[in-house]
Amino acid sequence: MKWVFKEIGYQARYALPLWLVQLLTNWLPENRITIRIRGALAAPFIGKYGKNFTLSKGVYLESVHNIQIGNDVYIAPYAWINGLGGVLIEDEVKISPYVVIDTCIHNFKDNSVKKGGSLVAPIKIGRGSWIASHAVIKAGVTIGSGVIIAGNAAVVKDVPDNVMVGGVPAKIIGPRKNKDESKVVYGRFLHNKPSSKATSHKYDCNE
C-alpha cells in the first residue's frame, strides 16, 4: 500500500498542479511573453529549476520530480520528456518541437515486450546545446556542451562537446561551427524585408 500513498503524494505535489498550469495556459497564443508566463507557473512543480525557464504549450513532462532544469532553458511545443530515470538539462539548452527524451527502455522476456518490464537510466544534456525537432534521446545518454543534435536523429550513445550529430543512429557529422559574427543582427525586432541570404540574429528566436 505504500506505493499508493507515494503515488497520491506525487500527483498532489507535482503532476496535478502542472497539469492545471498547462490546462489554464495552453489556450494562450505562442509568443515570448506567454512562454515565460507558462514557464514561471510550471517551474515550482518541477524537481529543480533555474531562472528564465520558458515553456511552450503541449509539452508532456513525466516523473517531473526527477527532472532538473538549469537557467535560460527553452522547451518547444509537444516535446516529451520522461524523467523516471533522472534528467539533467543544463543552462541555455534549447529543445525543439516533438523531441523525445526518454529515460526508460522497454525490455523483452519470452519474446514479448509486455513481459519484459523496463530499464531506466539517466540522461544529461550539456550547457548551450540545441536539440532539433523530432530528435530522440535514449536512456543513459550524456550529451556534451555546445552540441547540435540534428532533426530526426536517434541518439543512442554519448556525444562529446561542440559537435553536430545526426542520423539513425546518430553519428558525429563534424565540429559545431559558429556563424559569421559579421552577419549577426543586434536589433530585437526586425523590420527589413526578407532576404534570400541566411541571416543570424543576436536575439533569441523563441524569447
Side-chain angles (χ1 to χ4, degrees):
M1 289 294 292
K2 287 184 178 180
W3 71 268
V4 175
F5 293 106
K6 286 184 178 180
E7 182 64 22
I8 291 173
Y10 167 77
Q11 293 293 331
R13 170 63 181 86
Y14 296 102
L16 291 177
L18 184 59
W19 169 81
L20 183 60
V21 167
Q22 292 174 312
L23 178 68
L24 296 175
T25 60
N26 278 351
W27 61 272
L28 295 171
E30 285 291 285
N31 56 54
R32 63 173 56 93
I33 297 173
T34 58
I35 62 175
R36 287 179 181 274
I37 292 172
R38 188 180 294 110
L41 293 174
F45 309 112
I46 295 172
K48 291 184 180 179
Y49 62 94
K51 299 177 181 178
N52 303 320
F53 175 46
T54 49
L55 181 68
S56 288
K57 65 181 180 181
V59 174
Y60 184 80
L61 302 174
E62 186 175 336
S63 298
V64 289
H65 61 301
N66 289 333
I67 297 175
Q68 301 179 52
I69 294 176
N71 298 324
D72 302 304
V73 169
Y74 169 66
I75 304 178
Y78 307 108
W80 189 87
I81 302 175
N82 179 354
L84 186 61
V87 173
L88 172 59
I89 302 172
E90 294 188 339
D91 298 348
E92 302 172 13
V93 168
K94 303 297 180 187
I95 297 174
S96 298
Y98 297 100
V99 165
V100 173
I101 300 172
D102 192 359
T103 59
C104 289
I105 304 171
H106 293 303
N107 193 31
F108 280 76
K109 183 179 180 181
D110 298 331
N111 294 321
S112 173
V113 70
K114 181 178 180 180
K115 299 178 181 178
S118 297
L119 305 174
V120 297
I123 291 174
K124 177 183 175 182
I125 301 176
R127 178 181 177 273
S129 291
W130 171 27
I131 316 299
S133 298
H134 295 276
V136 178
I137 314 298
K138 178 188 172 186
V141 165
T142 294
I143 295 172
S145 62
V147 169
I148 296 177
I149 305 297
N152 297 299
V155 184
V156 298
K157 61 181 181 180
D158 292 353
V159 179
D161 296 345
N162 301 314
V163 296
M164 175 184 285
V165 302
V168 181
K171 297 180 180 179
I172 295 176
I173 297 172
R176 192 259 310 137
K177 298 179 181 179
N178 295 331
K179 297 294 184 180
D180 184 353
E181 284 293 319
S182 66
K183 297 180 180 179
V184 171
V185 177
Y186 287 88
R188 187 166 181 83
F189 298 99
L190 300 180
H191 302 285
N192 300 332
K193 293 181 179 179
S195 170
S196 60
K197 297 181 180 180
T199 306
S200 286
H201 306 284
K202 198 65 175 179
Y203 73 93
D204 194 299
C205 294
N206 304 116
E207 299 177 2

